[in-house]
Every structure is written in C-alpha cells, then in structure tokens.
Amino acid sequence: MKFESTWNTHSPLAVQRREAGLARLAQWQALQARAAEASARSKPVFDKRGQLLPRERVALLLDPGTPFLPLCALAGFLQDTPDPTQSIPGGGMIAGIGFIEGVRCMVVASDSGIEAGAIQARGLEKILRVQEMALENKLPFVHLVESAGANLMQYKVEGFVLGGAIFRNLARLSAAGLPVLTVQHGSGTAGGAYMPGLSDTVIMVRGRSRAFLAGPPLLKAATGEFASEEELGGAEMHTSLSGLGEYLCEDDRHALGTARDVVSRWNWAENTSASGAKGEAKPPRHDPEELLGLMPSHHREPIDMREIMLRLVDDSDLLEFKSLYGAATLCAQARIGGHAVGIISNNGPIDVAGANKATHFIQWMCQLGHPIVYLQNTTGYMVGKDSEQGGMIKHGAKMIQAVTHANVPQITLQCGASFGAGNYGMCGRGYAPRFLFSWPGAKTAVMGGEQAARTMQIVAEAGMARKGITPDPEKMQAQFDKIVALFEAQADAFYTSGLVLDDGVIDPRDTRSVLSFCLDTCLEAAARQPRTMPFGVARM
C-alpha cells in the first residue's frame, strides 16, 4: 500500500523540533569550521613559502562546480582533549569523494596547517576507512601529502604497528587496478616516505617535497652521517637520481595541474560498462526542509519514519511491504535519485514479526539487485517473556544473517536511536555498510542511559539486600546520575563520529543528495571493470 503524509508542518511540535534541530546543526557547523579556521591560521607561513593551504589545494584539484562528499570530518573530536570547546576534529586530514577531470576519486589531503600535518587522534582509523571505501567502490586514490608523520611526543606503539595497514592498502588498491596518485607537497618521513613509495605515480614540488626514511636528525643520531634534506630526499634528487618521483613541478599550482593532467589520461571511462539501471530522478513532493521539524530530539518521542521517507524519495512515492505485519518495522520500495532501492526503518523495537519481515525483504532486494537503505530509529530487539518464548533470538539472528550476507550495496543512516542489537540488525558499523552517516541528533549505545542506570541500580540493591544493607538514597541517586551521564555522553553523534564510528554527520536536509551521490558511486563501481593484477605497480 502507498502512504500519504499526515504531518502538520506548522504545528507547535514541528516548530519546536525544528528549532532544536537548527541549534544542533549550528553546533555541528561550528565544529567543522573549527578545523578549517585552525588550519587557515597558518596562512602567513604558507604564503611565505609560496604554498597553498590544504583546502586550497583540494579546491584546485577538483572539478569546479561538481559535488564533493566529505568523509569523517569529525574524526578525533574529543579524542585530542576532553574539552569540547578546544577539541579540533578532522584527524589531521581532509578526505572525501569528488571528481577530477570527470573521474570520481577518493581524495585525501594532509591538513598541514595544523601541527605540520601530523596525524591526529583517530587519523589512522580515518585513512584506513577511506582506503577501504576506495577499494569497495573501485575508486582511484589521490593523496596530497605534506605530513610531519607521527607525533613522537604522543607516541603509541599500536599506532606504529597498525599504521602498516595504510601501506598494505595502497598495494591492494594498485593491484586491484585502482590508480594511486600522490602529490608530495612537503615532507614525508620514515613511514610517511612509503606514501609515495607505494603510489603508482608521484608528483613532486621543487624545493618543497621531501621523502626519506630517516631525516637529518635521525640519520646523525643513528649513523653519525650528516646530509642536507635536499641530498637525502629532495624533489630534484628523487626525480633525477632515485626515481621515486615522475614529475618535477615548480609550485603547488603546477603540481595540482599536473595531477589533473595525469588523471585525464587514465581513460577511466573505458573501464566502465553501460549500466542502464538508473531511471529518471524526480524531486520529492514534500519539502526536505520539513525534516528538521519531523525528527524528535529524544527517542522517547514518537515519529512515523514513513514521513521521513516521503521527504527523501523520488516523487514522495513509497510502496510499503507487509505494512500490517510486524508493523513497527518498516520496509518499502522507492527510488532515490532515479535508483530503485529498498528502505528499512523502525517505528519502535524490532519484534519477531518485524525481524522475519526484514529478513524476507532483504533477501528479496538481493534477488532484485536493489541497494538497501537503512534508516535507523530503534531501541533494539523486543524483550520480555512472550518475545523470548516466541524465538526472538533466533528470528533476530536470521535478520543479522541476511544483513551480513546481502550481496547488494547497503547504506545506513542513523536518524534517531540506535540501541542494542538493533544497531547490528539495522546494518551498523560492525556490519560493514558501504556508507554510514549520522544525523546530528542520533544516539548510539548498547542501551539508553536511564535503562543502564536502572539496571545497575536493581543489581546493586539486590546485592545489598542479600547482605542486609540498607541502600543510601543519596548515594544511589548519585550513582544513577553518573551512569546516565556516562552513557549519554558516549551516545552523542558528535562523540561517536569523533571515534570514526560513522562516515560523517550530515544535515538532514542534505540526506537525499548524499544518498543519491552514494548510490551513483555504488552503481559506477558495479559497472566498472578495472584491470586487476596479482601485485601492485612497483616503482622502478
């Protein structure tokens, strides 16, 4: 059956929710701006060196007027410092999917305006995530490098050991037939030298590019030998003697123009077969602006997620699947940006019938070859005697099996609550969705803070009763409040995004365009036939 909206966009509730949503968006925008502002404070230094700031480099590299999807922009938030007014998100790099000479590419740039481009907290997780996204979506990898490497004052051995996966992934990308292009704008020391070393093509800048396994200080400390930076790893040396670099450029602009020229000669379109799977895109009949007035700020407030769907899909046209069965679990067919998709969402906990319905729907979408979009808004799987006796565990497990083995692209959007195993069954991060984004008000936790606190309170009171101890109400309330605060702080979308548990927080009003971009990326990947090899391109 088809669903028609009954939402009053001018009601006091809608107005209140919109105001709360705008306030949350303002916080998010301020956080994103903080990294750019911190980087821009280095502009006098960059100007003196004749260099462009990192964001200026990215802007010149990309095709003007084309979409760019930033990824993991809040990475590291509250991980460098617990002070939310001082924490600088981004993980020390800029990352996203954009177009270079018409070629859809994964682009990563060292944010060298901040601590000389040293990888910040969660920066390692960020680059590993976008490398995996490039592999899964068959995207060329373009890296603008200028990094001081690891911050030795904050050295952690696990960062060194696990960081080797960055270089392994470069080798995997190359072997998968996905070009790896590095523009070496500045320094790359020790492990950082393997960024160009494991690239298919390297562009260097005269007088600025540096790549060496040991810089002059370490060389002198280790061997007693003295050599200048230029002798050890300068651009002229690497393009004329070592062969590490292919192109020697005069400045950043020249290097970025050369990068665009290199990409234009890949003839990348020849690796893509005609897909014919995308239809005409029609805008929704309901204004996506209304999304801000729809979504509640607390998961206890009800929301019919079909109202959300109507403002995301083409022509606001939904065909709901099994609408009367497992009614709190919503499954519907629609189009987004011309792409036929299946959508799964929640109007409450997932019960036995809902889990079975979702399993059936996922398998059906796999049969049709339609991507699945998950709009998470659930407190988890249903609990209780009736639910347990009805086989909730085994039926929930069937849904998880379907999510795990689905052979179509899965894209997840955390809209509201994402609690307990509902996070798993609705294709949370642990289930490797192709893309995963959060709305600013989303919450992710093993359970709600009050439920966790009440659980611990019941356990503590039972333990005291066994020992004949009378609970102190003030102490019990203090513990209750402490647990609630702990859970609420970690459930916050900005905090979880800082841990790279999503691919970024997005404005709800941009959801349709983000989903369309991701679906285009998935479709292009399915049609692409790169020339794979058993090894990556070796530097000669």
Side-chain angles (χ1 to χ4, degrees):
M1 61 178 287
K2 291 190 176 182
F3 178 79
E4 296 294 335
S5 176
T6 60
W7 180 251
N8 180 359
T9 60
H10 302 292
S11 68
L13 180 61
V15 172
Q16 181 268 325
R17 287 181 177 177
R18 176 179 172 80
E19 289 175 352
L22 287 171
R24 187 69 171 161
L25 280 173
Q27 296 175 12
W28 168 67
Q29 290 162 347
L31 284 177
Q32 291 195 113
R34 188 180 295 170
E37 290 164 359
S39 185
R41 286 196 284 272
S42 298
K43 184 170 175 56
V45 176
F46 278 68
D47 287 345
K48 185 176 180 180
R49 296 191 305 222
Q51 289 185 295
L52 298 170
L53 285 168
R55 285 164 181 77
E56 294 174 331
R57 294 169 182 167
V58 172
L60 275 177
L61 176 69
L62 297 171
D63 295 347
T66 59
F68 178 73
L69 179 62
L71 297 169
C72 307
L74 295 188
F77 178 60
L78 295 180
Q79 304 306 302
D80 52 345
T81 171
D83 185 349
T85 66
Q86 298 298 316
S87 180
I88 298 177
M93 65 188 72
I94 304 151
I97 301 172
F99 294 89
I100 303 170
E101 291 291 330
V103 177
R104 192 186 301 263
C105 298
M106 181 64 76
V107 177
V108 177
S110 309
D111 197 346
S112 47
I114 301 174
E115 294 189 14
I119 295 180
Q120 304 300 305
R122 301 294 166 173
L124 173 59
E125 289 92 334
K126 178 173 179 174
I127 192 168
L128 292 177
R129 171 58 183 157
V130 300
Q131 286 179 326
E132 288 292 342
M133 293 172 82
L135 279 163
E136 189 170 25
N137 293 288
K138 301 178 185 176
L139 298 171
F141 191 83
V142 180
H143 199 179
L144 310 183
V145 176
E146 182 175 35
S147 174
N151 187 335
L152 296 183
M153 296 299 292
Q154 298 175 5
Y155 168 75
K156 291 184 177 181
V157 67
E158 64 268 27
F160 154 65
V161 174
L162 299 177
I166 297 174
F167 313 122
R168 174 176 179 266
N169 284 340
L170 293 176
R172 292 171 66 204
L173 283 159
S174 181
L178 305 172
V180 178
L181 168 62
T182 288
V183 181
Q184 191 79 26
H185 290 279
S187 180
T189 306
Y194 286 102
M195 297 305 303
L198 284 158
S199 298
D200 302 328
T201 308
V202 177
I203 298 167
M204 293 190 153
V205 179
R206 190 190 305 273
R208 297 304 325 164
S209 298
R210 301 281 189 273
F212 25 58
L213 296 178
L218 178 57
L219 180 68
K220 188 172 182 180
T223 69
E225 181 183 1
F226 175 80
S228 69
E229 287 191 342
E230 191 63 38
E231 291 173 314
L232 274 178
E236 290 186 56
M237 187 279 286
H238 279 310
T239 52
S240 63
L241 293 179
S242 78
L244 181 66
E246 278 70 57
Y247 302 96
L248 178 63
C249 298
E250 299 305 316
D251 55 26
D252 284 348
R253 290 179 184 275
H254 185 195
L256 294 165
T258 301
R260 289 179 55 82
D261 194 14
V262 169
V263 173
S264 72
R265 297 172 192 275
W266 285 343
N267 294 324
W268 196 240
E270 295 181 4
N271 290 331
T272 305
S273 60
S275 62
K278 181 180 177 182
E280 178 187 357
K282 298 179 181 179
R285 287 182 284 110
H286 296 280
D287 190 351
E289 185 74 24
E290 296 169 1
L291 290 169
L292 287 183
L294 268 165
M295 203 66 201
S297 57
H298 197 285
H299 66 269
R300 286 185 176 175
E301 298 179 38
I303 169 68
D304 190 337
M305 292 299 290
R306 288 170 292 203
E307 296 281 3
I308 301 293
M309 295 179 194
L310 289 183
R311 288 152 180 85
L312 299 179
V313 305
D314 292 8
D315 200 33
S316 298
D317 183 20
L318 287 174
L319 180 61
E320 194 170 352
F321 176 76
K322 289 182 183 283
S323 61
L324 302 179
Y325 179 77
T329 299
L330 307 177
C331 299
Q333 289 178 276
R335 286 186 177 269
I336 298 177
H339 298 271
V341 299
I343 304 175
I344 302 177
S345 191
N346 327 99
N347 278 349
I350 304 169
D351 60 13
V352 166
N356 279 310
K357 176 167 76 171
T359 301
H360 182 170
F361 188 72
I362 291 166
Q363 293 177 342
W364 186 34
M365 291 302 101
C366 290
Q367 183 188 64
L368 295 176
H370 293 177
I372 303 169
V373 176
Y374 298 85
L375 304 178
Q376 290 192 357
N377 182 47
T378 184
T379 53
Y381 285 94
M382 186 69 78
V383 297
K385 183 176 69 174
D386 290 343
S387 180
E388 297 286 7
Q389 291 180 355
M392 187 70 260
I393 295 173
K394 70 177 184 181
H395 295 300
K398 285 192 300 190
M399 182 176 172
I400 288 174
Q401 285 274 5
V403 170
T404 300
H405 297 292
N407 59 1
V408 294
Q410 299 183 98
I411 301 173
T412 300
L413 185 69
Q414 294 183 318
C415 301
S418 178
F419 291 167
N423 175 276
Y424 305 160
M426 288 293 293
C427 201
R429 174 62 109 202
Y431 288 78
R434 192 76 70 94
F435 296 93
L436 187 153
F437 297 98
S438 300
W439 281 0
K443 302 286 185 182
T444 304
V446 67
M447 63 182 72
E450 292 183 7
Q451 288 87 348
R454 187 68 62 201
T455 300
M456 293 303 296
Q457 186 177 53
I458 291 170
V459 170
E461 288 176 348
M464 291 180 186
R466 286 194 299 271
K467 297 176 181 178
I469 301 172
T470 301
D472 182 326
E474 289 188 4
K475 288 184 178 179
M476 295 300 291
Q477 186 60 46
Q479 177 178 297
F480 184 94
D481 294 341
K482 182 178 179 180
I483 294 172
V484 170
L486 173 67
F487 270 71
E488 290 299 319
Q490 293 193 51
D492 185 88
F494 298 165
Y495 184 87
T496 55
S497 195
L499 293 171
V500 199
L501 296 178
D502 62 23
D503 298 323
V505 174
I506 62 173
D507 186 328
R509 296 167 295 184
D510 294 335
T511 301
R512 175 177 162 82
S513 60
V514 169
L515 289 175
S516 296
F517 186 96
C518 292
L519 289 164
D520 285 345
T521 303
C522 294
L523 182 64
E524 188 177 304
R528 188 166 304 290
Q529 299 174 346
R531 298 176 63 85
T532 61
M533 303 185 295
F535 43 77
V537 174
R539 306 212 56 78
M540 300 295 179

